[in-house]
Amino acid sequence: MSSAYRRLMQEYKELTLDPPEGITAGPVDEENLFQWEAVIMGPSGTDYENGLFSASLTFPQTYPLSPPKMKFTSDMFHPNVYPNGEVCISILHPPGEDPNHYETVSERWSPVQSVEKILLSVVSMFAEPNVESPANIEAAKLWREDREQYKDKVTSIVKKSLELEE
């Protein structure tokens, strides 16, 4: 059994026994611990409040030395989520120096991070997007310049996540 497999098994066990509020996550299939799904409830007090957002996490064989990739599988409109759903936050960036000198080494992935920390970072991202280094330019521009239109777009995806809107 690989160290990545053991680590993922341990994290899955911890998340099952003590899940963070508003988050569920685990392997899609218990035969493959390298492919997970997660559901995150939009945190109260944010534009995403009460939405249910699905995402996939794909772990490399080198986990935890390398970070997983996270991608929303439900519609998402957020400055730090690419239009294809891929999440772009510091904790998911490979360890080491940032070639763009934007992030410090301590903000990037390290083996002490965990699935739980990633998911909690995404919950934080809902409340406080980083519009200085956006993955979705349109979302960042609306966040800065037209908060009402931004909120309307997010409200629409929240409703869609709850199957209240087509």
PDB file of all heavy atoms in Angstrom, residues 42-58:
ATOM      1  N   GLY A  42     -22.974  26.554   0.618  1.00  0.00           N
ATOM      2  CA  GLY A  42     -22.566  27.960   0.640  1.00  0.00           C
ATOM      3  C   GLY A  42     -22.729  28.526   2.043  1.00  0.00           C
ATOM      4  O   GLY A  42     -23.780  28.362   2.666  1.00  0.00           O
ATOM      5  N   PRO A  43     -21.670  29.149   2.569  1.00  0.00           N
ATOM      6  CA  PRO A  43     -21.716  29.639   3.956  1.00  0.00           C
ATOM      7  C   PRO A  43     -22.694  30.790   4.163  1.00  0.00           C
ATOM      8  O   PRO A  43     -22.871  31.618   3.270  1.00  0.00           O
ATOM      9  CB  PRO A  43     -20.277  30.087   4.231  1.00  0.00           C
ATOM     10  CG  PRO A  43     -19.625  30.225   2.908  1.00  0.00           C
ATOM     11  CD  PRO A  43     -20.395  29.414   1.918  1.00  0.00           C
ATOM     12  N   SER A  44     -23.321  30.809   5.340  1.00  0.00           N
ATOM     13  CA  SER A  44     -24.270  31.874   5.647  1.00  0.00           C
ATOM     14  C   SER A  44     -23.544  33.213   5.677  1.00  0.00           C
ATOM     15  O   SER A  44     -22.365  33.292   5.993  1.00  0.00           O
ATOM     16  CB  SER A  44     -24.994  31.610   6.961  1.00  0.00           C
ATOM     17  OG  SER A  44     -24.075  31.542   8.006  1.00  0.00           O
ATOM     18  N   GLY A  45     -24.270  34.237   5.290  1.00  0.00           N
ATOM     19  CA  GLY A  45     -23.696  35.580   5.260  1.00  0.00           C
ATOM     20  C   GLY A  45     -22.921  35.873   3.986  1.00  0.00           C
ATOM     21  O   GLY A  45     -22.322  36.932   3.853  1.00  0.00           O
ATOM     22  N   THR A  46     -22.925  34.924   3.027  1.00  0.00           N
ATOM     23  CA  THR A  46     -22.257  35.158   1.737  1.00  0.00           C
ATOM     24  C   THR A  46     -23.302  35.106   0.626  1.00  0.00           C
ATOM     25  O   THR A  46     -24.427  34.662   0.845  1.00  0.00           O
ATOM     26  CB  THR A  46     -21.180  34.081   1.444  1.00  0.00           C
ATOM     27  OG1 THR A  46     -21.831  32.839   1.146  1.00  0.00           O
ATOM     28  CG2 THR A  46     -20.216  33.909   2.609  1.00  0.00           C
ATOM     29  N   ASP A  47     -22.911  35.542  -0.563  1.00  0.00           N
ATOM     30  CA  ASP A  47     -23.819  35.467  -1.710  1.00  0.00           C
ATOM     31  C   ASP A  47     -24.151  34.018  -2.057  1.00  0.00           C
ATOM     32  O   ASP A  47     -25.135  33.753  -2.733  1.00  0.00           O
ATOM     33  CB  ASP A  47     -23.182  36.142  -2.934  1.00  0.00           C
ATOM     34  CG  ASP A  47     -22.981  37.642  -2.734  1.00  0.00           C
ATOM     35  OD1 ASP A  47     -23.687  38.239  -1.892  1.00  0.00           O
ATOM     36  OD2 ASP A  47     -22.111  38.215  -3.407  1.00  0.00           O
ATOM     37  N   TYR A  48     -23.314  33.081  -1.612  1.00  0.00           N
ATOM     38  CA  TYR A  48     -23.472  31.659  -1.920  1.00  0.00           C
ATOM     39  C   TYR A  48     -24.307  30.911  -0.872  1.00  0.00           C
ATOM     40  O   TYR A  48     -24.485  29.706  -0.974  1.00  0.00           O
ATOM     41  CB  TYR A  48     -22.089  31.002  -2.044  1.00  0.00           C
ATOM     42  CG  TYR A  48     -21.260  31.659  -3.121  1.00  0.00           C
ATOM     43  CD1 TYR A  48     -20.487  32.778  -2.848  1.00  0.00           C
ATOM     44  CD2 TYR A  48     -21.296  31.185  -4.426  1.00  0.00           C
ATOM     45  CE1 TYR A  48     -19.761  33.399  -3.847  1.00  0.00           C
ATOM     46  CE2 TYR A  48     -20.562  31.794  -5.427  1.00  0.00           C
ATOM     47  CZ  TYR A  48     -19.796  32.911  -5.133  1.00  0.00           C
ATOM     48  OH  TYR A  48     -19.085  33.529  -6.122  1.00  0.00           O
ATOM     49  N   GLU A  49     -24.823  31.642   0.108  1.00  0.00           N
ATOM     50  CA  GLU A  49     -25.560  31.052   1.229  1.00  0.00           C
ATOM     51  C   GLU A  49     -26.617  30.057   0.766  1.00  0.00           C
ATOM     52  O   GLU A  49     -27.387  30.332  -0.150  1.00  0.00           O
ATOM     53  CB  GLU A  49     -26.225  32.173   2.044  1.00  0.00           C
ATOM     54  CG  GLU A  49     -26.897  31.694   3.291  1.00  0.00           C
ATOM     55  CD  GLU A  49     -27.327  32.837   4.215  1.00  0.00           C
ATOM     56  OE1 GLU A  49     -27.167  34.021   3.859  1.00  0.00           O
ATOM     57  OE2 GLU A  49     -27.813  32.521   5.312  1.00  0.00           O
ATOM     58  N   ASN A  50     -26.600  28.889   1.418  1.00  0.00           N
ATOM     59  CA  ASN A  50     -27.549  27.786   1.204  1.00  0.00           C
ATOM     60  C   ASN A  50     -27.388  27.022  -0.106  1.00  0.00           C
ATOM     61  O   ASN A  50     -28.070  26.031  -0.309  1.00  0.00           O
ATOM     62  CB  ASN A  50     -28.994  28.254   1.345  1.00  0.00           C
ATOM     63  CG  ASN A  50     -29.266  28.742   2.744  1.00  0.00           C
ATOM     64  OD1 ASN A  50     -28.738  28.217   3.714  1.00  0.00           O
ATOM     65  ND2 ASN A  50     -30.078  29.784   2.852  1.00  0.00           N
ATOM     66  N   GLY A  51     -26.501  27.472  -1.010  1.00  0.00           N
ATOM     67  CA  GLY A  51     -26.278  26.712  -2.230  1.00  0.00           C
ATOM     68  C   GLY A  51     -25.559  25.410  -1.908  1.00  0.00           C
ATOM     69  O   GLY A  51     -24.870  25.306  -0.890  1.00  0.00           O
ATOM     70  N   LEU A  52     -25.757  24.393  -2.734  1.00  0.00           N
ATOM     71  CA  LEU A  52     -25.055  23.115  -2.587  1.00  0.00           C
ATOM     72  C   LEU A  52     -24.201  22.920  -3.828  1.00  0.00           C
ATOM     73  O   LEU A  52     -24.737  22.737  -4.926  1.00  0.00           O
ATOM     74  CB  LEU A  52     -26.044  21.955  -2.431  1.00  0.00           C
ATOM     75  CG  LEU A  52     -26.818  21.936  -1.123  1.00  0.00           C
ATOM     76  CD1 LEU A  52     -27.868  20.828  -1.157  1.00  0.00           C
ATOM     77  CD2 LEU A  52     -25.868  21.731   0.048  1.00  0.00           C
ATOM     78  N   PHE A  53     -22.890  22.972  -3.644  1.00  0.00           N
ATOM     79  CA  PHE A  53     -21.970  22.961  -4.767  1.00  0.00           C
ATOM     80  C   PHE A  53     -21.124  21.695  -4.753  1.00  0.00           C
ATOM     81  O   PHE A  53     -20.458  21.396  -3.766  1.00  0.00           O
ATOM     82  CB  PHE A  53     -21.090  24.210  -4.721  1.00  0.00           C
ATOM     83  CG  PHE A  53     -21.901  25.471  -4.720  1.00  0.00           C
ATOM     84  CD1 PHE A  53     -22.103  26.185  -3.558  1.00  0.00           C
ATOM     85  CD2 PHE A  53     -22.512  25.921  -5.884  1.00  0.00           C
ATOM     86  CE1 PHE A  53     -22.874  27.332  -3.537  1.00  0.00           C
ATOM     87  CE2 PHE A  53     -23.298  27.070  -5.880  1.00  0.00           C
ATOM     88  CZ  PHE A  53     -23.475  27.776  -4.716  1.00  0.00           C
ATOM     89  N   SER A  54     -21.180  20.976  -5.874  1.00  0.00           N
ATOM     90  CA  SER A  54     -20.433  19.727  -6.008  1.00  0.00           C
ATOM     91  C   SER A  54     -19.078  20.002  -6.647  1.00  0.00           C
ATOM     92  O   SER A  54     -18.968  20.859  -7.537  1.00  0.00           O
ATOM     93  CB  SER A  54     -21.197  18.755  -6.900  1.00  0.00           C
ATOM     94  OG  SER A  54     -22.476  18.539  -6.388  1.00  0.00           O
ATOM     95  N   ALA A  55     -18.102  19.220  -6.221  1.00  0.00           N
ATOM     96  CA  ALA A  55     -16.746  19.366  -6.776  1.00  0.00           C
ATOM     97  C   ALA A  55     -16.063  18.008  -6.786  1.00  0.00           C
ATOM     98  O   ALA A  55     -16.445  17.090  -6.041  1.00  0.00           O
ATOM     99  CB  ALA A  55     -15.940  20.350  -5.936  1.00  0.00           C
ATOM    100  N   SER A  56     -15.054  17.900  -7.632  1.00  0.00           N
ATOM    101  CA  SER A  56     -14.229  16.692  -7.637  1.00  0.00           C
ATOM    102  C   SER A  56     -12.825  17.069  -7.189  1.00  0.00           C
ATOM    103  O   SER A  56     -12.371  18.197  -7.415  1.00  0.00           O
ATOM    104  CB  SER A  56     -14.181  16.081  -9.043  1.00  0.00           C
ATOM    105  OG  SER A  56     -13.512  16.948  -9.933  1.00  0.00           O
ATOM    106  N   LEU A  57     -12.184  16.137  -6.529  1.00  0.00           N
ATOM    107  CA  LEU A  57     -10.777  16.283  -6.141  1.00  0.00           C
ATOM    108  C   LEU A  57     -10.034  15.094  -6.738  1.00  0.00           C
ATOM    109  O   LEU A  57     -10.435  13.944  -6.522  1.00  0.00           O
ATOM    110  CB  LEU A  57     -10.621  16.284  -4.621  1.00  0.00           C
ATOM    111  CG  LEU A  57     -11.135  17.534  -3.934  1.00  0.00           C
ATOM    112  CD1 LEU A  57     -12.083  17.165  -2.818  1.00  0.00           C
ATOM    113  CD2 LEU A  57      -9.985  18.323  -3.392  1.00  0.00           C
ATOM    114  N   THR A  58      -8.984  15.392  -7.470  1.00  0.00           N
ATOM    115  CA  THR A  58      -8.176  14.352  -8.090  1.00  0.00           C
ATOM    116  C   THR A  58      -6.784  14.422  -7.484  1.00  0.00           C
ATOM    117  O   THR A  58      -6.111  15.452  -7.590  1.00  0.00           O
ATOM    118  CB  THR A  58      -8.113  14.551  -9.618  1.00  0.00           C
ATOM    119  OG1 THR A  58      -9.453  14.617 -10.118  1.00  0.00           O
ATOM    120  CG2 THR A  58      -7.356  13.419 -10.286  1.00  0.00           C
TER     121      THR A  58
END
